[in-house]
Each structure stands twice: as C-alpha cells, then as structure tokens.
Amino acid sequence: MDEAARHALIDKAERTHRLAEAELAALLADDGATDELAAAADRVRRAFVGDEVHLRGLIEFSSYCRQNCLYCGLRRDNKNAQRYRLSPEEIVALAEKAKAAGYPTVVMQSGEDAWFTAERLAAIVRDVKRLGLTVTLSVGERMTDEYRVLREAGADRFLLRIETTDRALYERLDPGMSHEDRIRCLADLKRLGYEVGTGCLVGLPGQTAEMLARDVLFFRSIDADMVGIGPLVPNGETPLGDERPGDMRLVRRMVAAIRLLLPEANIPATTAMETLSPGARELMLRSGANVMMPNVTEGEARQKYALYPGKACVADTPEHCRACMEGRIRAMGRTVGKGPGGRMRKNRK
Ligand code: SAM
Ligand code: SF4
C-alpha cells in the first residue's frame, strides 16, 4: 500500500473506529503499517482507557483436558503432558495469596477438565468471591446451565477465545469441536451478564489477513469486553510442532487494530507474546494493550501447565512476578490499575 493510502486508512480508524473488512485486511497485510498503526492505537488507548495497566493474577488449576486442539500442549492425545489438578483448597489458597500480593482480580484457567463439575467450580468461586476478588473463569466450553450456575455463584468474567472465526480452519484445528458451539457459548456468556473476553491465535497454518480482519470485526460485533491475541507458539508435542511461530509484527498490528476498532476493550499483553520475543509485553502495551496477566500458580503446577515450550517466567515466584510487572509498568511511565479494571464504558471521547 502506498504511504498516502495507508495514512488515510489509519486516520479513518483513529477518528471513526470503523473500517471495512477489505481496508482492515489491507492494513493487517502491510508490514510497513506496523509503527503508524501502533502509534495511533497508543493514542486511542490513552484517550479511552487511560494510562493504567490492570494486573490479573492467573491461576492455572488443572492441566487435564478432554479436547484435542492441534496447537495445544494440554490436548488429550499428548501422552507426554504432565497432568495435575489442584484441590479446591489449593485454588482458594492461591487466590488468597494473589489478594495479599495486591491483585484485585484472579483468572482461574484450566483445560476442559470434567472433574470440575459446575457445582464444584461454583463452590470454589463462592469462596474466592468471599475474599472480595473479581473472578474470571477460563475453563472452556460448558452447557448454558453450567455457565448460569457459575454466574450465580459470583463469577464476573469469562475468557473464551474464538481462536479463529474461519469455520473450516477452526474445525480442522480443533477436531471434534464445532464453530456453532463456540458462538453459542459466547452468546450465552454475554446474555448471562459476564464480562466476556475472547480473542484469536495468529500464525495458524492457512490463516490469511482477510480471516484476521473478520476476527477483528467479529470481536466488534459481539461487543467483546476483552480481546486477547496469542501468537502461535509451536509445541513439539503437538501436530503443529513444525509450524512457524506467529509473526510478532502481525500480532502487533492485530493488537493495534483491535484497539482502534474496539477503543474501550481491555487488551492484554500476553505471555505467548513475551515467550516469542522478550520485551514484547512492553511493546504491546505501547501498541494498544492495557492488561497483563502474571501467573500466580506456584510450584510444580506452574511448570506442568505447558501449552507451549519456553513459556516466559515459568521459574519465577508469584511475588517476584508481581514486583517485576510493577517495575516494568512504572518504567514505562504508566501506573498499575487500582480497582478491578473492568470494561470501561463511560470514557467516550
Ligand atoms: N481450555 C480453555 C480454552 O481452550 O478456552 C482455557 C485454557 S487454553 C490453554 C487458553 C488458550 O491457550 C487458548 O484459548 C489458546 O488460544 C491458547 N493456546 C493453546 N496452545 C497455544 C499455543 N501453542 N500457542 C499459543 N497459544 C496457545
Ligand atoms: Fe484443551 Fe484449551 Fe488446550 Fe484446547 S486450548 S486442548 S480446550 S486446554
């Protein structure tokens, strides 16, 4: 794309927060647009969600999974995965520690582990809510009634990435899962009043800029409260082990495009980004992102939750993570968010 056309499109996105699919795809395909897109997204981030960076304490409580996603180290056919399951008491104890370390929000994440029935999970959610924490769940697909039970137990937010909006690609990479089910889950979560986080992977085999543009427009169409982007980190224990890692410049354009089109959304700088490129979290926080999710899982479990190899910070303690994040945020001239850091709605320009 020539410079004038690129500039006109980015300017339009910054002013109107709208782009057509073809316009978005052209920008996402244009490596030369990366810095200008990121700078515009950084301005929009500051205007709409401010300088605070919200920290969520991530508790990875079970590595058992009944699904078989081709990219993920927790997939059920990975016989070399080390499986563990924290007890409800251990999960609540980690949440207590997260609170003591100053996290207002915990994200409870796991594989799709049937041991954690909705009732068992709901009891844990109630205990964690008694601590005064905001609770986000990321436990995959469930029946509508289960989402309801969990919401009634006090769960505030739910993360479920669409992974890709391209039906054929999704169903190829997530065998046995259906695109309709995924959409049904996201619609249920919205209807039940959760703050809903979704997102996609970047670097999937066969994925195009047009597909990614449709992903961004999908996030906008469901009014996603949070959008997380994961560059594919190939895992040698999975069928996608020989793929190329996601292109970090494309990831940066995605983060920026999401900020421009969904100016109020929470957008995390994710661990997968840092794993592929040290320092990427800061770069993403300057390209539209405003959230980080440090791991507060302790001990062996922290190493065994191996979605992909070389996961950043896996040997650190939760206390070290918290202090390290705060230092990094301050060094950027930003501040650590004080409250639960929910989706902003009033800050329209
Ligand atoms: N099982 C739940 C689910 O799938 O929604 C939650 C846990 S799952 C491990 C969380 C996210 O990890 C997935 O949405 C997927 O995008 C990401 N993930 C899995 N394998 C990955 C890989 N190799 N590289 C980057 N991200 C990956
Ligand atoms: Fe299981 Fe989630 Fe990994 Fe898929 S991405 S295998 S559902 S943990």
Side-chain angles (χ1 to χ4, degrees), residues 39-293:
D42 200 41
R43 289 190 293 273
V44 169
R45 185 269 308 155
R46 172 171 285 178
F48 279 81
V49 298
D51 278 337
E52 286 192 328
V53 177
H54 300 289
L55 298 182
R56 328 282 199 208
L58 179 64
I59 301 173
E60 296 163 333
F61 65 90
S62 169
S63 65
Y64 286 89
C65 190
R66 69 188 173 107
Q67 302 292 6
N68 220 8
C69 309
L70 297 195
Y71 39 81
C72 179
L74 304 190
R75 65 197 303 270
R76 66 169 186 268
D77 283 356
N78 180 8
K79 302 298 175 230
N80 294 327
Q82 303 196 55
R83 307 291 175 180
Y84 71 90
R85 179 180 289 134
L86 300 185
S87 69
E89 295 72 26
E90 286 172 316
I91 299 170
V92 177
L94 284 178
E96 266 168 23
K97 285 196 181 178
K99 184 183 171 168
Y103 292 102
T105 305
V106 286
V107 179
M108 292 167 44
Q109 189 178 84
S110 69
E112 291 199 12
D113 180 357
W115 188 88
F116 285 99
T117 58
E119 287 66 30
R120 278 180 174 149
L121 265 181
I124 300 168
V125 169
R126 277 192 286 274
D127 284 347
V128 175
K129 285 301 291 178
R130 271 187 217 109
L131 303 172
L133 290 165
T134 300
V135 173
T136 304
L137 293 175
S138 173
V139 299
E141 296 187 11
R142 297 267 173 163
M143 306 303 287
T144 310
D145 283 347
E146 297 181 279
Y147 286 144
R148 183 176 297 112
V149 167
L150 294 169
R151 177 83 182 118
E152 285 168 2
D156 303 280
R157 304 176 182 156
F158 203 104
L159 306 183
L160 186 76
R161 288 184 181 165
I162 190 78
E163 314 293 3
T164 171
T165 51
D166 189 86
R167 174 194 309 271
L169 185 60
Y170 179 79
E171 292 180 358
R172 190 157 74 241
L173 295 177
D174 300 78
M177 300 174 84
S178 95
H179 192 68
E180 274 80 34
D181 287 346
R182 204 74 175 171
I183 303 272
R184 188 273 299 160
C185 288
L186 287 167
D188 279 353
L189 293 165
K190 267 277 174 195
R191 202 171 37 249
L192 289 165
Y194 287 91
E195 268 192 36
V196 175
T198 186
C200 63
L201 286 162
V202 171
L204 295 171
Q207 193 175 40
T208 63
E210 286 72 25
M211 289 177 192
L212 289 170
R214 287 195 288 275
D215 290 351
V216 177
L217 294 177
F218 170 76
F219 305 146
R220 197 174 194 282
S221 73
I222 66 162
D223 192 28
D225 301 301
M226 181 181 132
V227 185
I229 301 299
L232 174 72
V233 188
N235 181 334
E237 304 288 346
T238 70
L240 296 197
D242 292 332
E243 292 297 326
R244 277 211 307 264
D247 169 1
M248 287 301 293
R249 287 177 64 82
L250 174 55
V251 169
R252 198 161 153 236
R253 292 196 292 286
M254 276 295 279
V255 166
I258 292 163
R259 173 59 67 205
L260 290 172
L261 269 69
L262 290 87
E264 300 172 329
N266 280 320
I267 304 178
T270 60
T271 311
M273 297 171 182
E274 186 73 13
T275 299
L276 284 184
S277 160
R281 274 186 296 218
E282 274 94 341
L283 190 59
M284 298 302 164
L285 289 174
R286 290 197 189 91
S287 309
N290 70 324
V291 170
M292 289 208 274
M293 294 168 54

Side-chain angles (χ1 to χ4, degrees), residues 311-337:
K311 203 167 150 200
C313 309
V314 77
D316 292 347
T317 63
E319 294 74 22
H320 177 267
C321 259
R322 175 72 175 75
C324 166
M325 295 287 164
E326 180 145 8
R328 286 168 146 214
I329 292 165
R330 291 222 175 122
M332 295 175 66
R334 304 267 283 272
T335 55
V336 175

